[in-house]
């Protein structure tokens, strides 16, 4: 019996690992364990996802919490090394691009444990994003690469990684979307927030470049307030953004605009329902660009670059320059012209995790 350990740390990791855990249940010759680093720790940012995704509680919880990038990454490494000694896995899986991803990859690879990166090869080209550094560093040292889109294959080829360890498998985040949609269709979140399907705009915003500076955050909130005079705006607020709104003294903008509804971060199923029923989405997230493309919902991404170019090339995503004029222009166009339509990218069919499990069991572990 071989032991495989998947790492989750922050909110965008949970939906990528849940289908992988399910897929391994078809192989009695392996035991699949989940380890949670505790990078995200609030109930709304973490626990809710385990329930919504039918994921068992992690076998190991490290509780590292927040800190500067160096502190958080270092804490994860120290605790993960202890966990590795205790759990003794034969194979490690990391997903995405958060600090836990690089911290656990670096630790596992140095301990000589074969490590696979799921969602490998994505590049925004913007080294000011901490996630870009995490992607580059993880991909440069891991042993196997599982890829969601053509650009990932191209980037890994360019970096000289061996073809026989790079696998184009599709997108496990979209596996979770397929799995949870029937429940999202039964969600009562719209009634609870007082929304009508296709008559509101869904907003998420948490990137340091958009929400850390008082001026940028204030301007963004003013634009949302203007938009809310035209269309209801619902904004589930990330803890980072919530803290900054309060500490920069910007709560007044929210209080004086009742159609700008700030709500707590939502669980996976409720958030899926909010996305699916929205008129369009305004975001700076990574994963939401992919989920909206899979759902066929137009998405305006307030960033100058994307590591997921397929969502713009064939999906419903559009990049928007993060300036007041850029965002205003994009909103005016979106409100006054037909929405961007798109196609679902190749292999985003709900079966990516099954492909990954088969490859790991047969090719990587040779079982
Ligand atoms: C992290 C990821 C980012 C991902 C995002 C999704 C990195 C470098 N960034 O960014 O790629 O898109 O998660 O959410 O790994 N906080 C809480 N409660 C929590 C979690 C965080 O209050 O459960 C607070 C922290 O104290 C901190 C802030 O939110 O002040 C940011 O958390 P952190 O994990 O450092 O990074 P994110 O901005 O969430």
């Amino acid at each position: 019996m071989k032991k495989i350990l998947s790492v989750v740390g922050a909110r965008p990791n949970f939906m990528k690992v849940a289908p992988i855990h399910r897929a391994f249940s078809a192989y009695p010759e392996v035991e699949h364990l989940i380890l949670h680093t505790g990078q995200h720790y609030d109930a709304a940012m973490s626990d809710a996802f385990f329930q919504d995704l039918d994921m068992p509680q992690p076998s190991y919880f490290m509780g590292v919490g927040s800190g500067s990038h160096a502190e958080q990454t270092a804490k994860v490494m120290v605790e993960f090394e202890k966990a590795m000694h205790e759990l003794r896995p034969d194979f490690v899986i990391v997903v995405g691009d958060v600090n836990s991803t690089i911290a656990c990859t670096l630790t596992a690879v140095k301990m000589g444990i074969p490590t696979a990166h799921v969602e490998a090869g994505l590049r925004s080209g913007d080294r000011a994003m901490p996630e870009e550094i995490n992607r580059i560093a993880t991909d440069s040292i891991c042993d196997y690469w599982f890829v969601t889109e053509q650009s990932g294959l191209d980037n890994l080829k360019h970096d000289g990684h061996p073809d026989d360890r790079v696998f184009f498998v599709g997108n496990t985040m979209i596996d979770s979307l397929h799995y949870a949609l029937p429940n999202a269709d039964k969600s009562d979140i719209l009634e609870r927030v007082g929304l009508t399907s296709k008559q509101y705009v869904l907003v998420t915003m948490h990137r340091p470049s958009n929400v850390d500076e008082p001026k940028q955050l204030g301007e963004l909130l003013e634009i949302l307030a203007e938009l809310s005079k035209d269309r209801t705006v619902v904004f589930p607020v990330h803890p980072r953004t919530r803290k900054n709104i309060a500490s920069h003294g910007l709560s007044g903008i929210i209080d004086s605009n009742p159609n700008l509804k700030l709500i707590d971060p939502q669980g996976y199923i409720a958030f899926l329902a909010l996305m699916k029923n929205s008129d369009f989405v305004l975001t700076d997230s990574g994963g939401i660009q992919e989920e909206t493309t899979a759902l066929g919902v137009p998405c305006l991404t307030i960033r100058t670059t994307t590591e997921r170019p397929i969502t713009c090339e064939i999906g419903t995503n559009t990049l928007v320059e993060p300036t007041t004029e850029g965002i205003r222009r994009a909103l005016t166009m979106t409100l006054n012209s037909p929405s961007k339509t798109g196609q679902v990218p190749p292999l985003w069919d709900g079966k990516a995790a099954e492909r990954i499990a088969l490859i790991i069991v047969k090719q990587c572990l040779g079982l």
Side-chain angles (χ1 to χ4, degrees):
M1 172 84 92
K2 295 278 188 188
K3 200 186 265 185
I4 301 174
L5 182 68
S6 285
V7 174
V8 293
R11 184 168 62 176
N13 294 160
F14 306 126
M15 50 292 239
K16 293 171 193 166
V17 167
I20 294 176
H21 183 77
R22 260 194 309 281
F24 276 121
S25 65
Y27 298 92
E29 60 272 48
V30 301
E31 180 188 15
H32 181 256
L33 303 178
I34 297 172
L35 175 142
H36 190 336
T37 66
Q39 177 175 343
H40 282 176
Y41 44 86
D42 286 354
M45 298 294 284
S46 176
D47 301 356
F49 287 81
F50 281 82
Q51 285 156 26
D52 280 3
L53 292 159
D54 292 334
M55 210 173 11
Q57 281 305 307
S59 304
Y60 200 102
F61 185 77
M62 298 184 351
V64 298
S66 303
S68 70
H69 282 281
E71 281 167 350
Q72 194 173 53
T73 309
K75 269 199 254 173
V76 174
M77 287 182 69
V78 171
E79 294 306 315
F80 189 61
E81 191 176 46
K82 292 181 199 158
M84 291 285 280
H85 283 305
E86 197 174 307
L87 298 170
R88 303 203 157 275
D90 300 289
F91 196 93
V92 168
I93 301 174
V94 296
V95 299
D97 56 15
V98 302
N99 287 340
S100 299
T101 310
I102 175 57
C104 294
T105 305
L106 196 48
T107 308
V109 170
K110 281 194 170 175
M111 293 176 89
I113 309 301
T115 301
H117 183 205
V118 170
E119 202 186 85
L122 298 183
R123 298 287 183 272
S124 66
D126 177 2
R127 288 172 66 97
M129 277 179 86
E131 294 83 356
E132 181 73 353
I133 307 302
N134 293 342
R135 291 180 200 117
I136 295 169
T138 300
D139 283 341
S140 67
I141 57 173
C142 68
D143 302 288
Y144 300 95
W145 299 262
F146 291 102
V147 177
T148 53
E149 63 166 85
Q150 183 62 41
S151 74
L153 290 177
D154 299 342
N155 293 328
L156 292 171
K157 195 173 187 62
H158 176 265
D159 290 348
H161 295 298
D163 276 354
D164 60 343
R165 290 177 180 215
V166 174
F167 304 96
F168 180 30
V169 288
N171 195 327
T172 63
M173 187 172 232
I174 306 307
D175 295 359
S176 278
L177 185 140
H178 282 238
Y179 180 79
L181 262 185
N183 283 335
D185 287 337
K186 289 184 236 148
S187 165
D188 64 353
I189 182 71
L190 266 65
E191 295 91 85
R192 279 194 279 130
V193 186
L195 300 168
T196 312
S197 181
K198 298 294 167 191
Q199 294 194 17
Y200 64 90
V201 180
L202 175 65
V203 176
T204 82
M205 213 67 65
H206 75 280
R207 280 214 180 271
S209 59
N210 282 328
V211 305
D212 281 4
E213 289 303 315
K215 183 167 177 289
Q216 174 76 359
L217 181 59
E219 284 174 1
L220 272 169
L221 292 175
E222 290 292 356
I223 292 175
L224 297 182
E226 272 170 43
L227 175 63
S228 77
K229 303 212 159 56
D230 224 339
R231 201 79 56 101
T232 302
V233 176
V234 62
F235 184 2
V237 193
H238 186 282
R240 170 191 286 278
T241 313
R242 174 78 73 184
K243 276 185 210 163
N244 290 343
I245 292 175
S247 64
H248 299 331
L250 297 167
S251 309
I253 305 176
I254 320 295
D255 299 341
S256 51
N257 289 282
N259 242 4
L260 172 53
K261 295 173 188 267
L262 265 65
I263 60 175
D264 287 336
Q266 296 297 304
Y268 184 67
I269 288 172
F271 191 76
L272 209 52
L274 285 173
M275 260 192 300
K276 186 181 173 196
N277 289 291
S278 69
D279 206 0
F280 64 92
V281 175
L282 186 68
T283 189
D284 61 5
S285 153
I288 291 171
Q289 300 173 63
E290 296 184 338
E291 291 167 332
T292 47
T293 275
L295 290 167
V297 171
C299 180
L300 300 178
T301 300
I302 307 184
R303 287 173 46 185
T304 48
T305 58
T306 179
E307 60 289 337
R308 296 161 159 91
I310 194 100
T311 60
C312 293
E313 288 157 11
I314 69 166
T316 54
N317 189 24
T318 308
L319 292 186
V320 174
E321 190 198 327
T323 59
T324 33
E325 310 81 68
I327 302 169
R328 282 211 176 87
R329 206 178 318 125
L331 285 174
T332 311
M333 259 178 60
T334 307
L335 290 170
N336 296 313
S337 49
S339 316
K340 182 171 180 183
T341 54
Q343 295 159 31
V344 176
L347 298 188
W348 290 18
D349 57 0
K351 299 192 169 70
E354 290 170 26
R355 294 184 192 104
I356 291 171
L358 180 66
I359 293 167
I360 290 178
V361 172
K362 301 295 171 202
Q363 287 178 248
C364 307
L365 294 171
L367 297 173

